[in-house]
Amino acid sequence: MQKQKTFLVIGATGAMGRAVVEQLLTQAPDAFRVRIYTRDPTSPQALRLLAQGGPRIEAARGDIGSGDQLAAALQGVD
């Protein structure tokens, strides 16, 4: 079995980002893992995505303006 690729989706709780996450999770259910990058992983939008993706999705807390937070979120991403 091939290792699942991990994608980081920035802006995942917005309309476009949410659509990207949903496509990654449904197009190839066993091929992808998704890490959402959000300022608030406890927001209703983030929690909905996390519930939808089950064990294949995780959240990274951060602000797009922080290079250190973004670098940390990119660790392990394909």
Side-chain angles (χ1 to χ4, degrees):
M1 185 170 138
Q2 191 175 7
K3 176 187 175 276
Q4 290 179 322
K5 293 197 179 289
T6 301
F7 289 87
L8 179 69
V9 179
I10 297 170
T13 57
M16 183 64 71
R18 186 172 49 251
V20 170
V21 170
E22 290 170 353
Q23 285 297 307
L24 287 170
L25 292 173
T26 59
Q27 288 299 315
D30 297 325
F32 304 124
R33 291 187 47 77
V34 178
R35 183 176 301 154
I36 62 172
Y37 188 68
T38 178
R39 287 181 301 245
D40 183 5
T42 63
S43 73
Q45 299 89 339
L47 292 174
R48 221 175 340 224
L49 285 172
L50 292 168
Q52 183 178 353
R56 294 180 45 226
I57 190 168
E58 62 187 43
R61 179 186 302 268
D63 187 282
I64 193 65
S66 171
D68 291 341
Q69 291 173 340
L70 184 55
L74 284 166
Q75 292 297 310
V77 170
D78 296 291

